[in-house]
Amino acid sequence: MDEFQEILQDFLVESFELIEQLDQDLVELEHRPEDLDLLNRIFRVAHTVKGASSFLNFDVLTHLTHHMEDVLNKARHGELLLDADIMDVVLESIDLMKTLLTTIRDTSKDEGIEVEACVLRLSAITDGDSPSKAPVAEEVVSVIEEPVAVEEPAEDEPDYANMSDDDVEAEIQRLLEERQAADKAKREAKNESVEEVEEADYSNMSDDDVEAEIQRLLEERQAADKAKREAKIAAGEDVPEIPEVNEEKPEEPKAQAPAPAPAAAPAPAPAAPAAAVKKQADTKPAPAPAATTVEQTIRVDVKRLDHLMNLIGELVLGKNRLIKINDDVEERYEGEEFLEELNQVVSIVSLVTTDLQIAVMKTRMLPIGKVFNKFPRMIRDLSRELGKKIELEISGEETELDKSIVEEIGDPLVHIIRNSCDHGVESIEKRVAAGKSETGIIGLKAYNEGNHIVIQITDDGAGMDPDRLKMIAIDKGVISEKEADMMGDKEAFGLIFRPGFSTAAQVTNVSGRGVGMDVVKTNIEKLNGIIDIESELEKGTVMKLKIPLTLAIIQALLVGVQEEYYAIPLASVLETVRINKDEIYTVENRSVMRLRDEVLSL
């Protein structure tokens, strides 16, 4: 069972990454429906997920992915245009796949999630109907199809690996003719016009596409044979039993023999990455990997990295104490020979400790693109829900942040972007009337600034009116009129972070309850970050989140006053200035100094 758990973990890690990739690619495909390379890539990813889930006997996930793959396959062959309504259903199936993977992660099973309603809509699309015309799930007997990997085919599948090119082509032709005959029978039954199915041009197809076409034709033939058998059984005819065929090839490289398992539990599969299992062998044998090939990455538990970071923190503190002791020893034993050697040792320890600290911090760093990549889908769904045209422009997604901060920054960004879509970007009519483009632009940018990372969210919407914000705050009892009079524009913009404050006229699914931006401020302050807002009426709003790169170790400036020492975080230090006593003046019994054109109180 340990072996199965290891394979399951590999499957989950890979599948979550593939599903995230599918999410992004599908949103991109909606903007570029003519991009066949992108469509083929999406199809191959979906096919990989289906094959891996079938391999591990996750029937519900296989069932759902199989029907989504059918829709994508029709689009690949130019038989279907993926419009917004169809894409809604495909993206809904992606969300269900995420839910199923989460269930598998928690329970090792894909049970308890209802997918049949989505499957029916996908089937309706495949049959050429509108997704809205799909029958209601309750009216149909919910029977999960057997996954294609363990269906009962009419006969053993051909071994394409050991067939000549002519035999492979003949087999494809035979499968095509069977499909054409089945399609013709269906059309005649529906009294529809009978048209020949256009034959695929295999000479101009890649090996992957030929393999996928063969697999699809085989699945169609298996489904047709199964339907015939069920019809005969229903009619009371005697149908002989057909042995199940296991598609996994015994000569799979590096595979171990599966260990026996009780019937209730899934049998442990060969110890190869689940998603890497191929349904059909390549027509040409793959070259043997070079003996020098080694694993380039290793997966490490985050708890180990946390423990390592804590040890480094203690080491840094010890290094600082050592430097302080070295300074004291130098004062006491000035001129002694051993001091030079001690200085060298302390310098080496200090240098290595600093390098080690930086290296360990880098092992915890993740690109912020991990967070940014989920927003194109969110913008797409919000723009349809709000009836607006909105595009998201992302830059700086390769900027790295500590893993703990990456996990915490996601929710605040969701609230800010939803707010920008709802309150910032105007409706199409208002934008046109204001002489703007119909499409609103929301920008998401990340860049480094010293020991901080800055995340900038911009929109070219209506902007914020500080006077209106003050009036709303007074009406809601958030501030008094006296406080409003004393407020500048920057402080007025900060009112949107007050609990219970909202500029929405009515509560919607997107915003209006006055809790979202309050959560943003709380979460950013937890990370020792700050928020800055700039806004101009009719021009748009810029919101900057300034966050420390890591929370593990904070550099500080040590300041001594008489007998006491204070550590001031470097994040709070703008500059240090050395001044003489004669530069200090007394004004109204207070000590002040002049720094450039500014008078500072001391």
Side-chain angles (χ1 to χ4, degrees), residues 72-282:
L72 295 173
N73 199 44
K74 287 200 75 171
R76 282 171 73 225
H77 291 93
E79 301 169 18
L80 184 70
L81 180 64
L82 292 173
D83 59 20
D85 291 332
I86 292 176
M87 195 60 82
D88 282 343
V89 182
V90 175
L91 288 171
E92 181 191 342
S93 67
I94 293 289
D95 291 338
L96 281 170
M97 287 163 71
K98 290 179 187 174
T99 307
L100 285 166
L101 286 172
T102 303
T103 304
I104 291 169
R105 183 187 63 197
D106 296 339
T107 66
S108 297
K109 297 178 183 176
D110 61 344
E111 298 171 356
I113 307 297
E114 179 54 55
V115 301
E116 202 60 30
C118 183
V119 166
L120 290 171
R121 285 196 287 280
L122 290 168
S123 297
I125 294 168
T126 309
D127 294 339
D129 296 329
S130 165
S132 58
K133 292 182 180 178
V136 181
E138 286 76 14
E139 296 174 2
V140 181
V141 179
S142 179
V143 178
I144 300 297
E145 292 178 3
E146 294 293 320
V148 292
V150 292
E151 275 184 353
E152 298 178 344
E155 57 188 73
D156 288 357
E157 291 179 12
D159 182 5
Y160 294 100
N162 296 318
M163 288 170 67
S164 68
D165 291 345
D166 290 343
D167 289 342
V168 170
E169 196 170 318
E171 178 65 15
I172 292 171
Q173 185 61 37
R174 186 176 67 78
L175 291 168
L176 270 173
E177 288 169 2
E178 284 188 12
R179 187 183 72 175
Q180 289 173 355
D183 287 345
K184 185 176 179 182
K186 284 181 188 174
R187 290 193 182 93
E188 287 174 346
K190 294 181 180 179
N191 294 322
E192 294 178 359
S193 61
V194 179
E195 296 177 4
E196 288 299 314
V197 178
E198 185 180 347
E199 189 172 322
D201 183 6
Y202 294 101
S203 61
N204 294 323
M205 289 170 68
S206 68
D207 291 345
D208 285 346
D209 289 342
V210 170
E211 186 180 313
E213 179 70 9
I214 292 170
Q215 181 66 25
R216 187 175 65 79
L217 291 168
L218 279 169
E219 289 166 4
E220 287 186 7
R221 187 185 70 178
Q222 290 171 359
D225 288 341
K226 187 178 176 184
K228 286 178 189 174
R229 282 171 49 76
E230 288 174 350
K232 287 180 181 179
I233 292 170
E237 295 181 25
D238 191 20
V239 180
E241 284 295 320
I242 296 173
E244 290 187 5
V245 176
N246 185 6
E247 286 188 1
E248 303 308 327
K249 306 294 182 191
E251 59 270 20
E252 190 74 41
K254 295 186 183 180
Q256 299 170 6
V277 177
K278 297 184 76 172
K279 291 292 178 181
Q280 304 290 343
D282 293 329

Side-chain angles (χ1 to χ4, degrees), residues 276-470:
V277 177
K278 297 184 76 172
K279 291 292 178 181
Q280 304 290 343
D282 293 329
T283 53
K284 295 180 183 178
T292 54
T293 303
V294 292
E295 186 69 44
Q296 295 298 316
T297 59
I298 184 170
R299 195 175 298 134
V300 179
D301 194 296
V302 178
K303 289 179 182 175
R304 290 189 182 183
L305 291 178
D306 289 341
H307 180 57
L308 195 57
M309 185 58 91
N310 290 335
L311 291 176
I312 289 293
E314 296 298 324
L315 187 59
V316 169
L317 295 176
K319 177 202 77 172
N320 292 337
R321 288 185 65 192
L322 184 61
I323 292 171
K324 180 74 172 66
I325 291 169
N326 182 49
D327 292 342
D328 293 344
V329 169
E330 277 190 326
E331 286 181 16
R332 189 178 302 178
Y333 299 98
E334 189 175 354
E336 295 288 341
E337 292 182 5
F338 74 89
L339 285 178
E340 185 178 347
E341 194 173 341
L342 179 62
N343 272 329
Q344 287 179 352
V345 172
V346 171
S347 296
I348 290 171
V349 169
S350 176
L351 189 64
V352 171
T353 303
T354 303
D355 288 348
L356 192 59
Q357 175 189 347
I358 293 168
V360 172
M361 281 172 59
K362 283 184 177 177
T363 63
R364 293 176 51 88
M365 292 293 187
L366 288 175
I368 200 167
K370 293 269 184 188
V371 180
F372 283 7
N373 287 342
K374 68 181 179 182
F375 293 123
R377 165 73 189 280
M378 192 181 90
I379 292 283
R380 184 256 178 205
D381 291 346
L382 277 175
S383 58
R384 279 182 62 77
E385 185 178 342
L386 297 168
K388 299 177 180 179
K389 288 185 179 179
I390 307 173
E391 281 187 8
L392 180 66
E393 293 180 351
I394 294 177
S395 60
E397 61 266 39
E398 69 284 347
T399 308
E400 291 188 329
L401 259 179
D402 190 281
K403 182 182 186 298
S404 59
I405 298 179
V406 167
E407 290 167 351
E408 294 290 334
I409 200 67
D411 282 346
L413 286 177
V414 166
H415 285 298
I416 292 172
I417 290 174
R418 287 174 70 90
N419 215 53
S420 296
C421 289
D422 198 15
H423 300 303
V425 177
E426 313 95 323
S427 64
I428 295 173
E429 296 78 12
K430 286 183 180 178
R431 288 185 68 84
V432 171
K436 296 183 179 180
S437 163
E438 286 188 358
T439 305
I441 304 294
I442 290 179
L444 197 54
K445 180 181 179 183
Y447 57 92
N448 286 311
E449 195 176 87
N451 283 326
H452 287 75
I453 183 174
V454 178
I455 302 172
Q456 184 174 293
I457 306 100
T458 61
D459 68 67
D460 63 347
M464 289 192 283
D465 182 351
D467 294 330
R468 179 169 175 264
L469 291 174
K470 291 177 191 176

